[in-house]
Amino acid sequence: MPSLEVRLELAGAFLGGLSRSLEGFDHAAAHREHSWDLARSLDLRGFTPCISDKRRRKVVESILNAFERELLPVAAEGYLEMGVIMGDYNDANVIFRPNEASDAGVASPEWKVGGVIDFGDMVYTWRINELAIAMAYSMVSSWATADNERHCVDAAACVLRGFAATYRVGPTELALLRILTACRLACSYTMGMYVWVLGGWISTGHGLVGIGRV
């Protein structure tokens, strides 16, 4: 298998192709209220009391405040393209397979992304959310968390680099990626704490690992 850094870039490139394939696709079922839709990030405010650690709760609240202050006005002006996204692009849902001799790539001549699974989080929302979600999950990958000071940001950059090679990322969307990626990490952590408070089991560190580096 190629290094995780290369895999992240290949995964980003595949996601760009998937986003291109989803252009023009629509379905009534995708127009729904979905708790994990980044466009609904302010809904997390109803769950932040579940975060007992005051410092971490303050981090989540600051992210939501930035979302409300900096991103929502841009969205309200219609500057963010809408569409159906896959909505849960992470390493558990990406399948790699050996390359055939005829389709060997430059970045990894021996391996390629063969497909993606789990379309249960598809939703009609801002298209740029697809990339932000993938970048967020890359920041809590094993390679990223091995060195929080550097690899968290490097991992997200690998995904962005691959995605931008196969799908457009406008300057406005690029400027908002930092907030959107942080919102996904905040959502993952906050909802995890909510489940924990209800008596379920979850790794409560998931999400906050990368927030401080976004």
Side-chain angles (χ1 to χ4, degrees), residues 34-191:
H34 187 31
S35 297
W36 290 76
D37 179 6
L38 288 180
R40 301 178 60 86
S41 290
L42 292 187
D43 290 355
L44 287 177
R45 284 175 172 166
F47 298 92
T48 54
C50 297
I51 305 174
S52 57
D53 186 306
K54 293 182 180 179
R55 182 183 65 84
R56 291 188 169 192
R57 184 169 65 245
K58 186 175 181 179
V59 171
V60 171
E61 290 171 345
S62 69
I63 291 169
L64 300 181
N65 290 340
F67 174 87
E68 182 175 33
R69 181 180 62 252
E70 301 176 34
L71 194 145
L72 286 185
V74 177
E77 292 295 326
Y79 291 122
L80 299 181
E81 185 179 348
M82 303 288 292
V84 176
I85 68 170
M86 182 265 188
D88 194 23
Y89 198 77
N90 63 75
D91 55 355
N93 292 334
V94 178
I95 301 172
F96 277 83
R97 70 169 179 83
N99 254 333
E100 301 294 337
S102 60
D103 61 5
V106 175
S108 178
E110 297 180 354
W111 293 87
K112 67 181 296 183
V113 177
V116 60
I117 61 173
D118 189 358
F119 288 82
D121 288 290
M122 294 186 76
V123 66
Y124 184 84
T125 185
W126 306 322
R127 285 194 184 278
I128 193 59
N129 291 352
E130 190 84 277
L131 174 57
I133 291 166
M135 289 173 63
Y137 282 126
S138 75
M139 295 180 73
V140 292
S141 65
S142 58
W143 180 69
T145 55
D147 182 352
N148 292 344
E149 187 65 34
R150 181 173 65 88
H151 283 177
C152 279
V153 176
D154 286 351
C158 288
V159 175
L160 173 59
R161 185 164 55 247
F163 185 92
T166 56
Y167 196 74
R168 63 186 179 278
V169 181
T172 299
E173 296 168 325
L174 188 63
L176 296 174
L177 269 176
R178 179 173 177 270
I179 295 175
L180 285 169
T181 301
C183 281
R184 183 58 170 207
L185 292 168
C187 180
S188 181
Y189 179 75
T190 303
M191 298 305 287

